[in-house]
Amino acid sequence: MNIPNYMTVVDNKLIRGKAVVSPLRLYKMKRENITQIIDLRNSPTARQAIERFFCKILGIKYINCKYPHRLSTLPKHEFLEHINDLILKHKDKTYIHCQYGKRRTGIAVAFYEKLHTNKSKDDIFNNLMNLGFNDVFKVKVSKRLSRYKKILKEFCQTYLDN
């Protein structure tokens, strides 16, 4: 698969990235056997409606699993399990995203990697940081930074330290 720079292959079932509203990009995804999209965005937007519309036309299953918070705490374990069930039960490839494919997507993918890949805890953490959170740590002080540190710490204590 010739993967564009806004996408990252997790494994043979899952690809992660940012929201895709271009009909041409969605068509190319369909040709690469991506037949399910999981959208983690909370708020309905015009872009979300466009994505849903073109997915329907192209025969791509579109599922909006609203990430249950604004990145102030981890979602409940059941929410992350539900995302995994959607990925694992689907026979073809799944593309998962939030708006930018970083933080919400990163947490959901890290949980998937922990349970369903042979990646080490270090690799999972590095992917979580490099693909999702690294940019926020370039800022010295912000309210967002302290929230993100809290979420990362909670994720690591809950899922990677045991």
Side-chain angles (χ1 to χ4, degrees):
M1 178 175 187
N2 189 9
I3 209 108
N5 62 356
Y6 61 88
M7 299 168 103
T8 302
V9 174
V10 177
D11 65 8
N12 64 345
K13 298 259 321 153
L14 186 62
I15 298 167
R16 66 174 285 174
K18 65 181 184 175
V20 178
V21 294
S22 160
L24 180 58
R25 286 182 174 176
L26 289 166
Y27 173 74
K28 288 178 180 179
M29 291 168 70
K30 173 77 176 210
R31 280 196 358 222
E32 294 295 337
N33 211 27
I34 297 171
T35 58
Q36 175 172 265
I37 292 179
I38 298 173
D39 178 357
L40 299 173
R41 291 177 286 187
N42 284 330
S43 306
T45 65
R47 297 177 133 230
Q48 195 175 33
I50 292 167
E51 182 179 18
R52 180 182 291 119
F53 174 77
F54 285 113
C55 281
K56 185 173 184 171
I57 288 173
L58 293 167
I60 298 172
K61 184 177 183 179
Y62 175 88
I63 305 165
N64 181 225
C65 295
K66 294 178 181 179
Y67 205 81
H69 59 83
R70 296 269 181 205
L71 285 172
S72 55
T73 62
L74 280 179
K76 291 183 180 176
H77 185 82
E78 294 78 19
F79 175 80
L80 295 171
E81 283 182 337
H82 174 66
I83 299 296
N84 280 347
D85 287 345
L86 291 171
I87 296 164
L88 295 172
K89 289 179 181 175
H90 189 68
K91 65 180 174 69
D92 297 323
K93 295 176 191 167
T94 297
Y95 182 74
I96 189 169
H97 71 79
C98 52
Q99 184 63 36
Y100 301 107
K102 293 183 177 187
R103 292 167 256 297
R104 287 173 282 186
T105 301
I107 294 292
V109 169
F111 182 79
Y112 171 87
E113 288 177 318
K114 166 78 168 124
L115 296 178
H116 304 292
T117 70
N118 292 326
K119 294 178 182 175
S120 71
K121 292 176 184 180
D122 287 342
D123 286 342
I124 294 168
F125 181 77
N126 288 335
N127 288 341
L128 186 60
M129 287 301 297
N130 294 333
L131 299 173
F133 286 87
N134 241 359
D135 61 329
V136 296
F137 286 94
K138 293 176 184 172
V139 176
K140 296 283 184 218
V141 178
S142 75
K143 289 180 183 179
R144 207 181 276 186
L145 180 61
S146 61
R147 282 196 333 245
Y148 291 159
K149 281 183 177 180
K150 179 184 170 207
I151 286 173
L152 286 169
K153 182 178 179 182
E154 189 178 346
F155 182 85
C156 289
Q157 288 174 340
T158 304
Y159 298 111
L160 296 182
D161 288 347
N162 52 26

